DNA sequence: CTCTTACTAGAACGAACGGTCAAGAATAAG
DNA sequence: CTTATTCTTGACCGTTCGTTCTAGTAAGAG
């Protein structure tokens, strides 16, 4: 056998994620990454492949480790509607609080790289679809438990919340009045009762 | 005096807009622009300044000429609520129809260049604020004309619609089921009655 | 200890980047 | 027609891009 790695690939990947998240794909150079990651250029290429491979891996990691984890939040037992409401509220507060205004990396990736970048497109679509599914599941449960009207359309409501959340993440990039997002969220939540 | 320009700067600017809109800021090179614009490199620099100046001017142009023009749509006399509903529907259909999935250039600019790029941040904020104002104005009118409940909060509703519209534009970048956006819009519109 | 293997550091690669410059061409004032 | 001014063309600038290559180094197998 041979020499062992001197760094933890997972830790390095998260540092790469940090940079790509903040600056986007094109605006982040391999030189930036080498400097920020603390490993050699060749080690970077040997471990993760080229720039695009690294970006895709970082984006995959983002989906895994992001907090709040919406799927998990919506899967708790008990009343389902409060979970949805809390989710919207947490997205809102996170969009407002986010000091360096990185926004949502999925949204950033979608607007920068779609529609031409297929690997990224797949990741984005998967992320959105799984959130839609989780929301739909929760809302079906909410309807069954009498938390929302029996006539409500869970999937359509889920899609509505999904789209609204993406809007929150975009507008969180601005440095406008925090009340703007809070007002918007309050109105969106008024739909869910 | 001296020689006259051989090209129409406005027409050239719109060609630049086309490219920046499709590919974003970083991914569009000056070489791409020179080729696509049909004018010399030096003419480009002499007329518009550097790459960033050109981008900002293209973005300004985008705000001016975009169709549908939301401000205009919301300023028509008569019933105000249908105008708001039509606006949401047109954004939805445009997000779905948009064949080359360029999305909204304001959204693209916000996610790619904010928060560091101040000139772009100003443009984005102005665009969003003016749309919010137009929506608020229309909804105040709708309330006065009895089209929505007297207890409704026009500004909060406007902010809600504003955020939702940005979400539409983001998710239009994906190539998912068109029904997703239509369902979402239908639910959002259900709020406005 | 020796050998093999995979690691690290950093120089080096051609290509592409944004931007500038020099020379010639066209136009309007005098 | 002459002249002054601004345009166009295209070569050219140094820098930075993503990527590869070359040495040298560390560690387990035999």
């Amino acid at each position: 056998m041979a020499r062992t790695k001197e760094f933890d690939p997972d830790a390095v990947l998260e540092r790469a994620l940090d940079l790509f998240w903040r600056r986007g794909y094109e605006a982040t150079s391999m030189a930036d990454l080498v400097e920020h990651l603390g490993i050699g250029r060749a080690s970077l290429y040997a471990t993760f492949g080229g720039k695009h491979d690294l970006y895709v891996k970082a984006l995959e990691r983002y989906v895994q480790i992001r907090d709040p984890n919406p799927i998990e939040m919506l899967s708790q037992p008990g009343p389902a509607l409060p979970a949805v409401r809390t989710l919207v509220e947490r997205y809102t507060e996170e969009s407002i609080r986010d000091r360096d205004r990185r926004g949502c990396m999925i949204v950033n990736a979608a607007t920068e790289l779609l529609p031409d970048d297929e690997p990224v497109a797949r990741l984005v679509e998967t992320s959105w679809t799984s959130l839609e599914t989780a929301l739909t599941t929760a809302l079906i449960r909410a309807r069954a438990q009498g938390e929302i009207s029996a006539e409500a359309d869970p999937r359509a409501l889920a899609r509505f919340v999904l789209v609204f959340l993406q809007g929150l993440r975009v507008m969180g990039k601005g440095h406008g009045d925090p009340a703007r997002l809070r007002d918007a969220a309050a109105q969106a939540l008024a739909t869910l009762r």
Side-chain angles (χ1 to χ4, degrees), chain A:
Chain A
M1 288 292 147
R3 188 173 170 178
T4 56
K5 275 189 162 56
E6 293 182 358
F7 59 91
D8 174 8
D10 281 356
V12 166
L13 184 56
E14 293 198 14
R15 293 179 74 82
L17 164 60
D18 180 68
L19 217 53
F20 276 130
W21 190 357
R22 231 163 347 104
R23 304 195 199 166
Y25 178 72
E26 291 286 353
T28 305
S29 72
M30 289 304 276
D32 291 334
L33 287 161
V34 167
E35 189 184 3
H36 191 257
L37 266 47
I39 68 173
R41 229 177 164 75
S43 301
L44 218 181
Y45 276 90
T47 310
F48 301 103
K51 183 186 181 183
H52 190 266
D53 300 286
L54 179 56
Y55 181 82
V56 170
K57 281 165 180 147
L59 188 55
E60 284 168 345
R61 175 60 54 98
Y62 171 81
V63 173
Q64 290 166 2
I65 70 168
R66 85 173 134 187
D67 181 68
N69 182 330
I71 313 295
E72 198 173 321
M73 283 184 69
L74 295 171
S75 307
Q76 301 301 319
L81 192 56
V84 176
R85 302 178 65 85
T86 303
L87 179 72
V88 173
E89 281 158 5
R90 285 197 59 179
Y91 266 71
T92 306
E93 291 308 317
E94 190 168 298
S95 298
I96 292 168
R97 189 163 24 209
D98 185 12
R99 282 238 158 252
D100 30 4
R101 311 222 168 268
R102 296 178 295 183
C104 167
M105 193 177 170
I106 289 285
V107 169
N108 298 351
T111 53
E112 184 179 1
L113 276 352
L114 266 50
D116 295 328
D117 190 321
E118 294 191 21
V120 171
R122 268 193 300 274
L123 269 175
V124 167
E125 210 60 54
T126 300
S127 171
W128 284 341
T129 300
S130 71
L131 179 50
E132 178 184 320
T133 303
L135 281 164
T136 304
T137 305
L139 289 166
I140 288 174
R141 202 147 48 89
R143 189 178 59 178
Q145 294 169 352
E147 303 171 58
I148 57 174
S149 157
E151 286 81 35
D153 179 347
R155 194 175 69 174
L157 278 173
R159 289 174 162 176
F160 159 70
V161 173
L162 176 66
V163 171
F164 181 80
L165 290 178
Q166 311 315 311
L168 278 182
R169 300 309 240 135
V170 169
M171 301 205 61
K173 287 286 240 174
H175 48 295
D177 186 358
R180 175 184 272 170
L181 298 191
R182 277 194 261 265
D183 281 355
Q187 290 296 321
L189 289 175
T191 313
L192 303 174
R193 68 172 88 234

